[in-house]
Amino acid sequence: MRPPGRSLGTPGDGSLLDLNLATLQLESVDLQSSRNNKEHHTQEMGVKRLTVRRGQPFHLRLSFSRPFQSQTDHITFVAETGPKPSELLGTRATFFLTLVRPGNVWSASDFTTDSNSLQVSLFTPANAVIGHYTLKIEISQGQGHSVAYLLGTFILLFNPWSAEDDVYLPSEILLQEYVMRDYGFVYKGHERFITSWPWNYGQFEEDIIDICFEILNKSLYYLKNPAKDCSQRNDVVYVCRVVSAMINSNDDNGVLQGNWGEDYSKGVSPLEWNGSVAILRQWSARGGQPVKYGQCWVFASVMCTVMRCLGVPTRVVSNFRSAHNVDRNLTIDTYYDRNAEMLSPQKRDKIWNFHVWNECWMIRKDLPPGYNGWQVLDPTPQQTSSGLFCCGPASVKAIREGDVHLAYDTPFVYAEVNADEVIWLLGDGQAQEILAHNTSSIGKEISTKMVGSDQRQSITSSYKYPEGSSEERAVFMKASRKMLGPQRASSPFLDLLESRDLRNQPVQLQLHLARMPEWGQDLQLLLCIRRVPDSTHPWRPIALVVRFCAQALLHGGGTRKPLWRHTVRLNLDFGKETQWPLLLPYSNYKNKLTDEKLIRVSGIAEVEEIGRSMLVLKDVSLEPPHLSIEVSERAEVGKALRVHITLTNNLMVALSSCMMVLEGSGLVNGQIAKNLGTLVAGHTLQIQLDLYPTKAGSRQLQVLISSNEVKEIKGYKDIFVTAAGAP
């Protein structure tokens, strides 16, 4: 039976019969998600829904009730995002079917017809707002009324593959590392004992993209003015600052609550996270309640997940001996008493053993030319920026050149890697003597994961010129003048510094480890002493008293109360070298350390004849037991993969309440947790289990075993998974 309104005749023959064509009705739409997602590098997120990147065409197939007639059938496309879509705000776009794409604007072009179907290419501009979109068409004939149809929804992301996008990164190798790789490493510990910490970013797990936009929609900017906030999501600088503020929860219902104490009983210790996915899912499932707890490496790793998911090239960076310079004077003061005990700081300034932040790659159109590329973003809540706890983006190039006047938060990041350290001897509540003025002790071994490798890469030279070089000091003075004004000819301690020569010391002191330190063993150190000529006592023997103190070193640079003291008295002839053994028993530090197992051994040496004091320091990192992870056969999607995990307790004490957690995108759905009980000293634990990989390609299995005694026994295994049925 002929549909009503359909007239006889040949459509398009120029006769009056054309006026009576049946109304064009949409019968079905194919968003071609599988093809489009693959072309847009989003297939890892799944192919059930359309996820595309801006500045790149994607394809649709529309099926109608009759053949499409381009002369008489008029189709208007409407794309909308946000709560109050507006063409003025850039959250609504209306565009028509054209033969040729008109440029960097919303368009529908390059269409072909086949029977009752229309194949069309849609293009989104490279500066479009990112977000969840609805896509509709309005069909009209001639001057008649139009009928609207919903085609479906799609997600639009930043596009680092597009030369027109502000996040364009012109290297496929770098794109694979900084956008597509869903695992990596965080570098922790101490500048001399750097440990790699495997992390599961998991940015392509199917629900993570929705959680990322949920984070944006819970920001204070969105809650204050949703339409304006959405309209600014075309700007990567704006989006980065919002995410930086939302990863912490100091101002809002952000993702993570920080905890730098030692009581994690109301949540999870920051050391016990393996990856970002569990954190983000918990935050979302609980309606946006902050997850307990995070510290810098957790904040930065979660932000890396969010930014890579949104399409911004991102990496995690660790800065060892990182300054927190609250008063912006580019100087961090630390204090010791005559018994070599490190004292609590007089100000809020501190030196973190390490601090972790992010770098995101982007063009900085808001800055003068020359500051594009890597930008520092720091979601750890250290100080406010424009009223919120966020930091960056600060151009790494601007930091290296001392251009601290450039946005955002560049002075703060510059101080983190360049501040001077002044160590004071404190007596009777007063600073009595300067023990050291270190111009190169801050900002050491700035590190990130090497591209295409599990190795660590030092990127210190990206942040500053070589320590002690004329360029480095010139940049330091340039930054000092900008931060403190032209009067910065001196700071309070410089007169004292210039009044005496800190290098003119009668004795050279060094502390060395006599053997590799292991947790659960006595520590053996050597004090190496050499008598050298000085202006006061050039050739005469001198009497020396060295008072030692050992303290647990906290992540934030502070210390606990002393756990060991010792005094050495010596007489030294000119030119004589002496080695003095020191023993720090396990019983002294057994229950006194933090989870990070770091000890600072300090010594204050006094030359009795002249009352001069000298400082000698040694930080010791105690190695936890090591995990071994092996797989017995080739990994294939959907096929059982046998994993062997071995842990030998080489400590002098049992490890109690052992808990194992496995994680790894494409290998494990969520997490696998297993209670292992107690591992007796000297015994070995062997675990076998089967995994069923769900995704092909390079994957990483992360394993964490925590106990009451040692919180962070971590291991990982890189696994290449072949597609199902691959030869």
Side-chain angles (χ1 to χ4, degrees), residues 290-544:
V291 176
K292 301 175 181 178
Y293 294 103
Q295 289 184 14
C296 62
W297 68 91
V298 186
F299 290 113
S301 298
V302 172
M303 182 160 183
C304 183
T305 295
V306 173
M307 298 315 300
R308 286 187 184 181
C309 186
L310 295 177
V312 180
T314 305
R315 61 189 185 183
V316 174
V317 173
S318 297
N319 177 39
F320 291 88
R321 289 190 57 78
S322 185
H324 183 183
N325 188 206
V326 176
D327 54 16
R328 292 169 52 131
N329 67 351
L330 287 176
T331 301
I332 307 294
D333 299 312
T334 53
Y335 302 89
Y336 290 82
D337 67 13
R338 293 197 177 275
N339 294 315
E341 180 180 344
M342 185 179 177
L343 305 173
S344 298
Q346 306 287 301
K347 303 180 295 183
R348 288 173 54 212
D349 286 6
K350 65 178 72 173
I351 303 172
W352 298 90
N353 297 331
F354 67 94
H355 182 55
V356 184
W357 58 65
N358 300 101
E359 286 178 4
C360 293
W361 181 274
M362 67 189 75
I363 292 172
R364 291 297 300 273
K365 292 179 178 175
D366 58 322
L367 299 183
Y371 299 97
N372 299 332
W374 290 117
Q375 314 287 321
V376 171
L377 285 130
D378 189 351
T380 299
Q382 294 190 87
Q383 69 166 22
T384 58
S385 174
S386 302
L388 295 179
F389 278 94
C390 66
C391 179
S395 164
V396 173
K397 177 73 177 299
I399 295 162
R400 188 173 195 259
E401 300 300 331
D403 294 324
V404 294
H405 59 290
L406 298 175
Y408 290 87
D409 310 303
T410 310
F412 184 79
V413 182
Y414 180 86
E416 287 184 299
V417 299
N418 283 297
D420 284 1
E421 179 187 20
V422 179
I423 303 176
W424 298 84
L425 180 65
L426 211 63
D428 301 323
Q430 298 292 322
Q432 295 182 338
E433 189 178 347
I434 290 179
L435 297 169
H437 173 211
N438 299 324
T439 61
S440 61
S441 64
I442 304 291
K444 309 294 284 186
E445 295 292 343
I446 304 173
S447 302
T448 192
K449 178 186 176 296
M450 190 176 288
V451 175
S453 164
D454 289 351
Q455 300 301 306
R456 179 180 67 89
Q457 177 184 358
S458 174
I459 55 171
T460 309
S461 61
S462 299
Y463 281 82
K464 52 186 176 180
Y465 289 94
E467 295 285 6
S469 66
S470 57
E471 296 95 336
E472 185 266 336
R473 279 291 101 179
V475 167
F476 185 86
M477 295 310 297
K478 171 184 174 183
S480 298
R481 285 191 295 270
K482 288 180 178 178
M483 290 172 68
L484 298 168
Q487 291 76 27
R488 154 90 189 183
S490 67
S491 49
F493 59 86
L494 281 185
D495 293 338
L496 184 55
L497 272 178
E498 292 167 0
S499 68
R500 48 171 294 197
D501 187 358
L502 288 170
R503 293 168 296 181
N504 187 26
Q505 305 281 20
V507 176
Q508 291 178 349
L509 300 169
Q510 288 184 316
L511 270 174
H512 297 290
L513 287 166
R515 71 176 188 188
M516 282 297 294
E518 289 187 10
W519 194 85
Q521 306 284 335
D522 295 342
L523 295 186
Q524 297 179 14
L525 299 105
L526 279 178
L527 173 64
C528 300
I529 314 157
R530 182 167 178 260
R531 172 76 170 93
V532 293
D534 68 295
S535 57
T536 310
H537 295 79
W539 311 109
R540 288 162 44 193
I542 59 171
L544 200 68

Side-chain angles (χ1 to χ4, degrees), residues 259 263-270 272-273 282 291-293:
N259 186 342
D263 180 8
Y264 307 119
S265 58
K266 295 182 179 178
V268 175
S269 163
E272 294 183 30
W273 296 112
Q282 180 179 320
V291 176
K292 301 175 181 178
Y293 294 103

Side-chain angles (χ1 to χ4, degrees), residues 660-663 667-674 689-691:
M660 180 179 71
V661 178
L662 279 74
E663 194 166 327
L667 297 170
V668 178
N669 183 17
Q671 293 179 322
I672 296 174
K674 188 176 179 64
L689 49 87
D690 288 340
L691 303 180

Side-chain angles (χ1 to χ4, degrees), residues 93 203 548 583:
Q203 69 267 30
F548 290 99
L583 183 71

Side-chain angles (χ1 to χ4, degrees), residues 153-351:
T153 61
F154 66 94
I155 299 170
L156 189 64
L157 303 175
F158 292 109
N159 191 354
W161 282 268
S162 168
E164 303 301 317
D165 200 305
D166 286 350
V167 301
Y168 175 56
L169 181 58
S171 164
E172 186 61 32
I173 293 173
L174 297 184
L175 287 165
Q176 289 300 315
E177 183 68 53
Y178 297 131
V179 179
M180 299 302 293
R181 193 173 303 281
D182 59 5
Y183 61 86
F185 297 94
V186 180
Y187 296 99
K188 298 179 58 193
H190 186 279
E191 59 171 304
R192 294 190 184 94
F193 319 103
I194 297 174
T195 57
S196 60
W197 179 277
W199 193 270
N200 179 39
Y201 297 123
Q203 69 267 30
F204 299 127
E205 297 291 313
E206 287 196 23
D207 54 344
I208 295 300
I209 183 63
D210 298 311
I211 297 173
C212 290
F213 283 107
E214 189 181 345
I215 289 170
L216 297 180
N217 290 346
K218 280 190 163 59
S219 78
L220 295 181
Y221 295 106
Y222 182 88
L223 297 176
K224 181 180 179 181
N225 189 334
K228 181 182 178 184
D229 172 75
C230 286
S231 74
Q232 292 179 279
R233 294 182 187 175
N234 65 325
D235 179 4
V236 63
V237 172
Y238 177 81
V239 171
C240 282
R241 282 182 64 76
V242 171
V243 174
S244 173
M246 279 300 297
I247 297 300
N248 69 73
S249 59
N250 284 40
D251 310 292
D252 41 46
N253 284 328
V255 175
L256 280 158
Q257 181 176 322
N259 186 342
W260 288 268
E262 296 173 57
D263 180 8
Y264 307 119
S265 58
K266 295 182 179 178
V268 175
S269 163
L271 293 167
E272 294 183 30
W273 296 112
N274 261 349
S276 307
V277 176
I279 294 169
L280 291 167
R281 284 175 174 167
Q282 180 179 320
W283 176 81
S284 177
R286 296 182 181 178
Q289 288 300 307
V291 176
K292 301 175 181 178
Y293 294 103
Q295 289 184 14
C296 62
W297 68 91
V298 186
F299 290 113
S301 298
V302 172
M303 182 160 183
C304 183
T305 295
V306 173
M307 298 315 300
R308 286 187 184 181
C309 186
L310 295 177
V312 180
T314 305
R315 61 189 185 183
V316 174
V317 173
S318 297
N319 177 39
F320 291 88
R321 289 190 57 78
S322 185
H324 183 183
N325 188 206
V326 176
D327 54 16
R328 292 169 52 131
N329 67 351
L330 287 176
T331 301
I332 307 294
D333 299 312
T334 53
Y335 302 89
Y336 290 82
D337 67 13
R338 293 197 177 275
N339 294 315
E341 180 180 344
M342 185 179 177
L343 305 173
S344 298
Q346 306 287 301
K347 303 180 295 183
R348 288 173 54 212
D349 286 6
K350 65 178 72 173
I351 303 172

